[in-house]
Amino acid sequence: MSDHLPAHPGLTSAEVAERVQRGETNDYQARVGRSYWDIVRDNILNLFNIVMFSLLLVVLWFGDYATVFFAGFSVVTNSLLGMFQEMGAKRKLDQLAALSAPEVSAWRDGKLIPLQIREIVKDDVIPLVPGDRLVVDGEVLVSDALEMDESQLTGESDAVMKEVGNPVYSGSFCVAGSGTMVATTVGRNSTINKLASTAKAYRKVLTPTQQRLSLIVQLTVVIMVVCLPMIFIASYLNQGSFISLNTFRDAVVFVASIVPQGLVLTAILSLTIGALSISRYQTLVQRVNAVESMANVTVLCFDKTGTLTRNQLAVTQIISLSSLSEDEVISSLRRYLSNLSNLNRTAAAIESHVNGSTEPKLLPAAAKVSEVPFTSKRKWGAVILPGETLILGAPERVLTESDIERHAAKIAAQGLRVLAFARAGSEITDGSLSADREPLALIVLSDQVRDDIQETLSAFRQQGVALKVISGDNLETVREIANEAGMHIRYAYTGDQLEGMADTEFQAAVKEGDLFARVEPETKRRIVAALKAQGEYVAMTGDGVNDVPALKESNLAIVMNDGAQISKDIADIVLLNNALTTLPRAFFEGRIITQTIFGTSKIFLVKNLYSMFFFIFAGFMAMPFPINPIQISWLTFGVINLPATLIAFRILKPEYMSQFRRDVLDYVVTAGFIGAASMSLMYAIAYLSSGRDVMEARSTMMIYLTLWGMLVFWNTHSVSLFQPRSLRKHPLVFLLGLGLAAVTVAAGYLFPDILTFVAPSAFDWAAVIGVFVIARTLLHLTMRTRWLSSRLWKLTAP
């Protein structure tokens, strides 16, 4: 809060209690995340579960308890485990978020006390300083050059001056000056909450991977809706009845095999657990989808202050530029500072210096006529007093003499921050400085480079993240500090240079530049937008009001915990320790979590694709359904679900996959199609060689599908029978895949009645091995050339 705002009695405790009793509180929150009901609904009451349980109820009615148990077991356990794990993770994340929940100060009983947002009541008196985001509507009681940004409500980016009696709205925030407001509208009736309710503020925003998985699920659901009735029609044509136990068994197998419903839930669960894991590194994930964003970041933009430096400004020197003595300059500075509506960090450092002077302090300054508060766009601020105007800001904006500007630039080249202090005899008109201003002094400030910043920046570079400094400070100051922090600055530009460029030149400068200085908030936003247009995935760090446009434009908004409240409100991630030091580790965690999603997706989607094509191909050949529910459930558990669970819990790490389409979908399409074709061939051989014995043919297919699942598991971990070195590199993965397949097949021999398993003949075993070797060779050769997938993507290209 500004020290210059007058105290106010505010409401009494009794008046607050009356308003609470009348329900005039701000205890309302628009939906901002997944609720517990959302988690239950998505895990239990989804279309896949509804269809599956409907089919299983009929199977249960027929008395086939084994099918109900085996087919229903994985569905129930996956749904319940996923639901409880996500609920637990949500509860812990909510507890972490509560620790950093914003507070609002209000006058009550003559004292300024911090309150939770929900504790604000109607008629509360609330002070306003830069960075404060309004949580209720109100009316201005006191205005000291108060400027509000209402762009989130109106779309207009220009700040709005607010005088006494003017309305102010929730969702806007203070950008300059200071003031006091009285709350007039709270709760669901406030502007921001009405907008949130109307627009349904919470939207289920999906990450790129989630979007792809969701699309795949939607396509398979369409196939299920189209093909499921065909199973019953075929039953009627072949058996004369729509309703038979075998028909419902076939329907259960079809639905369970082609719909990858668990994948989307696995992705949500992985991201949620990931957010919880990342919180160990003093990093609060405010939006779960930011976990995947961390894995995709290619460019990190950040300011100098508080990132490369400690943000502990201290005045090192005051250089007089006029006939005034240093004491007289300090006296003028005191008059300027004592009349500011709000002290930012720089002004506070100067005030600390001048008030620490051994010279006697002045009597209270004369009341100011008006103030033009400092903003990042103006880069200067002024206090208009009777008879003079005092100005403080960037030398190139405040000074009129080029030789003094050059002197200031030399000092800045040493990594020091330089401000110019001047006075003018006339008042400021139309927001422009008058030409009669007289330079009084240069104020030199220092800020120490963080001890661990070189190691931190090196960690980013090792992860392939490009670094760009975007600062409002002098170019030479920022360049020197960046060099001291271990950055190699090849190209650097000022905001004025960027603003004078044509669009193509601007794009090139943004791409090649490592440092941008004296940059205004809108230019920061343009830099981030240009990087995104060039295909970069941009993370932006900030802490102040001036960073808000760029933070909103970025793919990943990262804010310091000590930053302005409005910047924290729009952040995807809040750095609780106010430093970048833990962010490389958080980025690395994000990459691990994304690899988990990619690995499980690869295993599940191959199984879904080959199942769908295999069942269709078998139908074309007018052959019986190729496998029963118990067999498919058991082999899925053995070589699909178990390996995927080990990956999901990060016990196993799949091979590194950088692109979902190239590294996941290419393999899914190839292994799915070749697997289905080889399965159809194998089924035809087994069915005919066994004298059309369906049970023996299905048992043979259980073995073949198990081997193909083992192969996919190996390939997901870079194990290939054609590359013996991969066996030596990943022996445990190779042995685990072999062991899971052996146990899955052995169960058929040990429990033939339960699995309805008939031991295949020696000929069938030989055929299984022969077809598997041929299919494996074809898969290897096709993946080397990407022959099948490349033609598919060419077909779907614009």
Side-chain angles (χ1 to χ4, degrees), residues 246-309:
N246 286 334
T247 303
F248 278 92
R249 283 174 175 169
D250 296 345
V252 167
V253 174
F254 183 79
V255 172
S257 299
I258 73 162
V259 180
Q261 176 62 32
L263 258 185
V264 175
L265 299 177
T266 300
I268 294 172
L269 180 60
S270 297
L271 293 174
T272 305
I273 294 176
L276 194 59
S277 174
I278 288 169
S279 68
R280 294 179 299 172
Y281 306 107
Q282 294 290 299
T283 304
L284 175 62
V285 178
Q286 297 199 135
R287 293 171 178 80
V288 170
N289 295 347
V291 173
E292 185 181 331
S293 294
M294 282 190 267
N296 295 324
V297 170
T298 58
V299 176
L300 175 65
C301 300
F302 52 90
D303 194 359
K304 165 189 72 70
T305 306
T307 304
L308 300 180
T309 64

Side-chain angles (χ1 to χ4, degrees), residues 590-648:
R591 283 172 164 78
I592 292 176
I593 292 157
T594 301
Q595 293 307 303
T596 297
I597 297 174
F598 281 9
T600 53
S601 298
K602 202 170 189 177
I603 290 176
F604 276 116
L605 290 178
V606 170
K607 179 249 186 182
N608 296 131
L609 191 62
Y610 70 59
S611 296
M612 180 180 66
F613 280 124
F614 179 32
F615 298 155
I616 293 174
F617 292 163
F620 273 122
M621 294 186 292
M623 297 170 66
F625 213 77
I627 200 164
N628 69 42
I630 297 175
Q631 292 169 342
I632 194 70
S633 297
W634 172 245
L635 75 88
T636 298
F637 175 78
V639 294
I640 306 294
N641 290 349
L642 272 181
T645 301
L646 294 175
I647 294 173

Side-chain angles (χ1 to χ4, degrees), residues 352-382:
S352 176
H353 178 81
V354 300
N355 284 344
S357 170
T358 57
E359 297 299 320
K361 298 181 181 180
L362 296 180
L363 295 174
K368 65 186 176 186
V369 175
S370 61
E371 177 187 347
V372 179
F374 178 91
T375 65
S376 298
K377 185 174 184 179
R378 276 192 287 266
K379 300 201 182 304
W380 58 267

Side-chain angles (χ1 to χ4, degrees), residues 315-337 346 350 353-354 380-381 388-401 403-405 407-409 411 417-424 437-445 518:
V315 175
T316 60
Q317 190 179 11
I318 295 179
I319 304 172
S320 179
L321 300 175
S322 67
S323 59
L324 296 179
S325 66
E326 183 176 347
D327 292 343
E328 290 174 314
V329 171
I330 288 176
S331 296
S332 295
L333 276 170
R334 285 180 180 148
R335 286 199 302 277
Y336 174 82
L337 294 166
T346 304
I350 298 173
H353 178 81
V354 300
W380 58 267
E388 69 175 344
T389 297
L390 298 177
I391 308 157
L392 182 68
E396 61 268 28
R397 299 291 176 93
V398 174
L399 299 174
T400 58
E401 300 177 25
D403 57 335
I404 302 178
E405 280 191 57
H407 182 51
I411 299 172
R417 186 175 183 185
V418 184
L419 296 175
F421 185 50
R423 69 180 175 188
R437 56 191 184 274
E438 172 195 359
L440 297 180
L442 292 178
I443 302 171
V444 183
L445 302 98
R518 288 290 190 230

